Amino acid sequence: MFDSLFADGRQPVIGMVHLPALPGAPKYDGDREAIIETAERDARRLAAGGVDAIMVENFGDAPFYPDDVPKHVVASMTRATRAVVEETDVPVGVNVLRNDADAALSVAAAASGDFVRVNIHTGARVTDQGVIDGTAHETMRLRDRLDADVAVLADHDVKHSAPIAARGFSAESVADGVERGLADAVVVSGSGTGHETERSDLEHAVERRDANDLDTPILVGSGVTADTVAETLELADGVIVGTALKEDGDVGNPVSEARVRELVEAAQA
């Protein structure tokens, strides 16, 4: 179902459902049902506004586990993701922060999700959770074992992190994620949540993709707004949007259907 998002030259807008703090997280407020209600509400607004897909993320769980969340997080994510799947008729993805690809795949497979985002799929990055290694060798084998039709969106130069080695875009790191990591799409983002993605970074990613004769979609994963989405889609194959779709453009607020509709219409202009 993920491949259909790009059929006939489509450039999908993927909207974010940012979950409140889940049970066990420091900011959890004790109301499990409110988490599901929040997910369903934001999913409805995203779908009504015209997004092509939705991604569910445990955004409220800071400080994040580096790469192995507890079982109760997996359970809560599965419940919330399934609620979004049942609430809408668009493809649904999962991102388990900070970088638990096994959990994300497991949640997506169990909840009938269609794709996952993996922040560090190949290589290694320095993050606020310490050094995190990509585990593409485990992630892709798990997908086979689960017999899951789940696409893997792999970040390149992911936000809130820095490379250990100074490879940057000049080497083959974009191609590595696809040719050696077998990712189904590449995500390019800015330095942090809501931060604009540098056009030069997007250009370089597209150049490296094309230079290696790959047909893998490249999506922009942060900082896209209604004012910039059309220009972004001159190069990118799609966008992942969270902050700009919230009331008053504040990432902590509920999704605004009006802001979703505005951005989707700008993307289609």
Side-chain angles (χ1 to χ4, degrees), residues 172 175 178-179 205-216:
E172 300 304 311
V178 177
E179 294 185 320
V206 172
E207 288 172 4
R208 296 316 307 162
R209 189 264 312 271
D210 295 345
N212 284 274
D213 295 323
L214 303 172
D215 59 2
T216 308

Side-chain angles (χ1 to χ4, degrees), residues 62-197:
F64 303 113
Y65 290 94
D67 52 14
D68 186 15
V69 301
K71 294 179 179 62
H72 59 78
V73 175
V74 179
S76 294
M77 285 291 293
T78 302
R79 185 182 179 201
T81 301
R82 185 60 193 173
V84 171
V85 169
E86 293 177 347
E87 195 69 26
T88 66
D89 59 1
V90 300
V92 175
V94 180
N95 188 19
V96 178
L97 300 171
R98 171 65 157 116
N99 197 62
D100 196 336
D102 285 2
L105 266 175
S106 300
V107 169
S112 300
D114 301 284
F115 59 96
V116 298
R117 181 176 181 176
V118 182
N119 297 151
I120 302 165
H121 187 56
T122 57
R125 307 280 297 183
V126 179
T127 74
D128 52 315
Q129 295 80 33
V131 176
I132 298 180
D133 295 323
T135 57
H137 59 292
E138 295 177 354
T139 301
M140 306 316 285
R141 285 173 172 80
L142 175 61
R143 184 171 71 171
D144 287 345
R145 291 200 304 275
L146 294 176
D147 192 24
D149 185 16
V150 176
V152 173
L153 284 58
D155 273 271
H156 171 76
D157 203 30
V158 69
K159 56 190 176 183
H160 300 291
S161 75
I164 292 178
R167 296 183 69 195
F169 285 95
S170 62
E172 300 304 311
S173 49
V174 173
D176 280 352
V178 177
E179 294 185 320
R180 296 167 68 85
L182 305 184
D184 301 289
V186 173
V187 181
V188 181
S189 62
S191 60
T193 300
H195 293 194
E196 184 176 357
T197 301

Side-chain angles (χ1 to χ4, degrees), residues 4 8 24-25 50 56 59 63 72 83 95 101 137 154 162 168 180 185 214 222 233-234 238 250 267:
S4 67
D8 302 321
V56 183
F59 184 78
H72 59 78
N95 188 19
H137 59 292
R180 296 167 68 85
L214 303 172
S222 74
L233 290 175
E234 292 174 0
D250 185 331

Side-chain angles (χ1 to χ4, degrees), residues 216-237:
T216 308
I218 291 180
L219 299 96
V220 168
S222 74
V224 176
T225 68
D227 292 332
T228 64
V229 66
E231 181 180 3
T232 299
L233 290 175
E234 292 174 0
L235 283 175
D237 300 297

